[in-house]
Amino acid sequence: MFGAGGGTSAYVEAEHADLLILWGSNARETHPIFFHHVLRGLGTGARMYSVDPRRTSTAQWADGWLGLDVGTDIALANAIGREIIHAGLVNEAFVRGVTSGFEDHRATVEPYTLERASGITRVPAELISELAHAYARADRAQICWTLGITEHHNAADHVFALINLALLTGHVGRYGSGLVPLRGQNNVQGGGDMGAIPAKLPGGYDLGDDVARARFETGWGAPISPTPGMHLSQMFEAMAPTPKETPTGTPTATRRLRALYCIGENPAESEANATHARHLLEGLDHLVVQDIFRTATADTADVVLPAAADWCEYEGTVTNSERRVQRVRKAIDPPGQARPDTHIICAIADRLGQSWGEPTAEQVWDELRSLSLDRHHGMSYARLVEHGGLQWPCPSLDHPGTPLLHARLWETGAARGPAAPFTPVEHVPPADALTSEYPIRLTTVRVLDAYNSGVQTGGYASPMRRREAPRMDAADAAALGIADGDRVRVTSRRGSVEAPVAFDPALRPGLASFTPHFCEQVDVNVLTNDAWDPKSGTSEFKATAVRIDPAATTHGDLASAQPVAGR
């Protein structure tokens, strides 16, 4: 947020907020630890609104559910902002003293009347107004979001739309008021903090920051290009062959990216438009996979490096969505030839002519602390143990950590720092348009007892485990002559899958859902759209246009649900 790359608030603040907005987040199932704090807040009188296309188990706890159409979040946020402005509920002192770009934002949201937004989102105008007034009038209010906001072809603009609301009302930088992105997987925050974002150095420094880059060059003993590398979506584009003419004029094809080292990722199943992604992976000259499981991606690899499960078989740290860095301790030895990730990476470096040896996890962390001066310098292993974790920024060994980010916005004079900018954004519909041929919107969702592509959870039984199925509204199914449990074919512009259907009262007409957790049953990402956001690189998993037809056979067994060749 405002260049920090992390949420503003500690989890416990949800217990003391007056209003909580869970926007595109079914936190009860996907972030249950955080939702315990939400429940405590509700128990002491907080109100909650759920903004979600589905009436999720989270929405069932809400005082109001805004069941918007998939991909219309910006139109809804702009209408809420316009209503706050027209009702005279803007925090004028905060906007004048702390922010920039308000007039451009005002002009952008002006066309988004309640009536127009209701037509775009299908949320009743009175409910949009109710949420606008509740949020603006609350003393302490939080907006919390997750993948329902960020897995779109204009994901960053969705986030900017929510930040704009916080700036209008001053709901940022104060205890109980904030912007809370709930990360999609464990330690996503830590991965970004450690430099897994191609435009960032560890500690969140921009590659273009000459001072920071020079410090890392000195520490690492190597030059660092200021040019950002490729994010995942760009990597897959670079794997595709591009036409090239030889000096003799003979057409040929070349790939800009010909080798891939894949650590702890399963793109053969987790990437959108999976059939195309697999084709690109198979076309690589060399693929190395380092993982704790034999994934579908590992099955196509030239070399597989067995890694330890670092969460229990090695030492280290993780960082959660509230920016809290916590120690991880080894409980058991890794099996067979499995080794910790850092040991494997260092062994490869040794074979490339370097002498990295086999540093301990603490030595690696101390190197990071020596370079990430603003965020991590004060987080020694001893202090992480003593305090049960610390939240960055923690710049010195006597610093207590920073549970609340951007409190500076409420300071005076130079201590306030740079202005927090409004970022005007416009509603743009999903890239995968609905048509008479593809009239149903498919969105991917997650459930409590499963994880990502199912590699880590699919081998375990759970009393909560449900069959994988396309879930849809009963009225939609009746119009198609489909009964609950009938085998159906779901087809997008990229491919088809077959499976028995299940009716879901959480879904409205025109909306269907799949989970990505059980690829061996239903290969869902054969359907999804790989259009991606130019700012974040995220593909639009949440908004696929499909049609659903009765399959040739009905009442099928999920074990036989198989993808049909892509189109």
Side-chain angles (χ1 to χ4, degrees):
M1 237 48 67
F2 314 124
T8 67
S9 308
Y11 288 168
V12 71
E13 294 182 44
E15 300 179 22
H16 306 111
D18 300 305
L19 183 76
L20 297 162
I21 304 175
L22 269 66
W23 199 312
S25 173
N26 183 17
R28 185 173 184 268
E29 296 192 46
T30 58
H31 294 90
I33 293 174
F34 173 72
F35 198 70
H36 282 302
H37 296 282
V38 172
L39 290 176
R40 291 192 185 103
L42 298 181
T44 57
R47 300 176 67 200
M48 184 179 82
Y49 284 82
S50 173
V51 182
D52 200 296
R54 299 183 301 139
R55 192 187 289 272
T56 63
S57 57
T58 298
Q60 292 169 19
W61 287 86
D63 294 272
W65 171 56
L66 284 72
L68 77 174
D69 279 354
V70 173
T72 62
D73 307 83
I74 292 173
L76 178 61
N78 282 356
I80 291 172
R82 181 187 186 278
E83 178 65 13
I84 289 170
I85 293 169
H86 277 254
L89 297 174
V90 174
N91 188 324
E92 297 283 357
F94 184 85
V95 169
R96 285 196 306 271
V98 174
T99 73
S100 62
F102 169 68
E103 291 303 329
D104 288 342
H105 173 66
R106 184 210 296 266
T108 298
V109 302
E110 180 58 30
Y112 290 88
T113 64
L114 295 176
E115 293 72 24
R116 180 187 176 212
S118 182
I120 294 171
T121 66
R122 290 204 293 167
V123 176
E126 58 270 19
L127 193 52
I128 301 174
S129 177
E130 177 185 322
L131 178 54
H133 285 252
Y135 180 65
R137 295 179 187 278
D139 181 44
R140 293 175 292 190
Q142 294 187 352
I143 301 178
C144 315
W145 70 91
T146 186
L147 301 180
I149 283 293
T150 56
E151 289 188 337
H152 293 276
H153 76 284
N154 53 347
D157 287 353
H158 280 66
V159 175
F160 288 137
L162 303 187
I163 293 173
N164 291 338
L165 294 179
L167 294 181
L168 276 180
T169 55
H171 282 315
V172 62
R174 293 189 294 118
Y175 187 86
S177 282
L179 292 156
V180 184
L182 301 168
R183 301 308 190 184
Q185 296 87 35
N186 66 314
N187 205 36
V188 165
Q189 183 69 55
D193 293 347
M194 296 303 107
I197 299 172
K200 297 286 187 178
L201 292 161
Y205 299 100
D206 289 334
L207 270 177
D209 182 334
D210 293 340
V211 173
R213 196 175 66 255
R215 184 168 68 252
F216 278 85
E217 288 176 334
T218 300
W220 291 348
I224 302 171
S225 170
T227 303
M230 291 182 283
H231 56 61
L232 186 59
S233 296
Q234 290 170 326
M235 289 182 194
F236 272 91
E237 288 194 348
M239 292 179 204
T242 55
K244 182 179 180 181
E245 195 168 282
T246 66
T248 61
T250 305
T252 185
T254 186
R255 293 174 172 82
R256 289 185 295 125
L257 195 157
R258 295 160 46 200
L260 183 69
Y261 182 11
C262 183
I263 305 177
E265 185 81 359
N266 184 27
E269 292 182 322
S270 63
E271 281 300 287
N273 195 0
T275 302
H276 181 57
R278 289 167 198 152
H279 174 72
L280 295 176
L281 290 170
E282 291 164 358
L284 291 168
D285 292 350
H286 193 65
L287 173 61
V288 180
V289 170
Q290 181 172 313
D291 212 311
I292 64 175
F293 288 99
R294 180 88 181 194
T295 64
T297 307
D299 285 340
T300 68
D302 298 284
V303 177
V304 177
L305 301 172
D310 285 345
W311 63 272
C312 65
E313 295 171 352
Y314 192 53
E315 303 290 318
T317 61
V318 295
T319 309
N320 68 7
S321 295
E322 61 173 0
R323 296 171 284 105
R324 184 181 299 278
V325 180
Q326 300 173 83
R327 278 292 316 279
V328 172
R329 295 167 180 80
K330 180 178 177 179
I332 57 175
D333 290 328
Q337 299 181 54
R339 301 172 64 187
D341 289 296
T342 51
H343 291 187
I344 298 172
I345 293 167
C346 289
I348 292 174
D350 289 344
R351 285 160 174 77
L352 291 172
Q354 302 300 311
S355 298
W356 289 10
E358 200 167 271
T360 66
E362 186 171 10
Q363 287 172 328
V364 174
W365 180 252
D366 283 342
E367 179 192 280
L368 177 277
R369 291 198 304 117
S370 74
L371 298 171
S372 178
L373 302 181
D374 302 304
R375 289 190 181 180
H376 299 99
H377 188 65
M379 295 183 178
S380 66
Y381 265 26
R383 294 197 74 216
L384 292 177
V385 172
E386 177 187 358
H387 296 282
L390 291 165
Q391 288 162 274
W392 63 254
C394 182
S396 64
L397 287 172
D398 59 357
H399 194 282
T402 311
L404 176 62
L405 206 57
H406 303 308
R408 67 170 179 82
L409 296 174
W410 297 90
E411 300 289 343
T412 58
R416 179 176 288 170
F422 282 91
T423 305
V425 289
E426 296 279 6
H427 163 69
V428 179
D432 215 10
L434 296 178
T435 64
S436 58
E437 186 178 5
Y438 301 103
I440 294 176
R441 181 64 71 195
L442 175 72
T443 193
T444 55
V445 304
R446 301 185 180 209
V447 295
L448 177 61
D449 68 322
Y451 189 76
N452 283 7
S453 61
V455 171
Q456 298 181 62
T457 54
Y460 299 91
S462 165
M464 303 181 66
R465 188 65 46 84
R466 68 188 195 184
R467 70 184 193 184
E468 182 55 279
R471 294 180 177 265
M472 65 185 301
D473 173 69
D476 279 349
L480 296 170
I482 295 170
D484 196 11
D486 280 359
R487 192 173 184 81
V488 299
R489 174 175 289 196
V490 184
T491 304
S492 76
R493 292 178 172 91
R494 288 154 293 282
S496 298
V497 298
E498 291 186 7
V501 73
F503 295 168
D504 189 343
L507 298 169
R508 299 175 303 147
L511 182 64
S513 72
F514 257 131
T515 82
H517 304 313
F518 307 102
C519 303
E520 75 286 355
Q521 297 177 3
V522 184
D523 202 0
V524 173
N525 279 324
V526 165
L527 305 172
T528 50
N529 188 11
D530 54 354
W532 51 272
D533 174 32
K535 296 185 178 79
S536 69
T538 304
S539 293
E540 191 160 61
F541 291 93
K542 293 299 183 187
T544 301
V546 301
R547 67 174 181 269
I548 301 177
D549 302 303
T553 58
T554 59
H555 301 289
D557 185 339
L558 268 177
S560 63
Q562 297 293 331
V564 179
R567 309 174 8 146

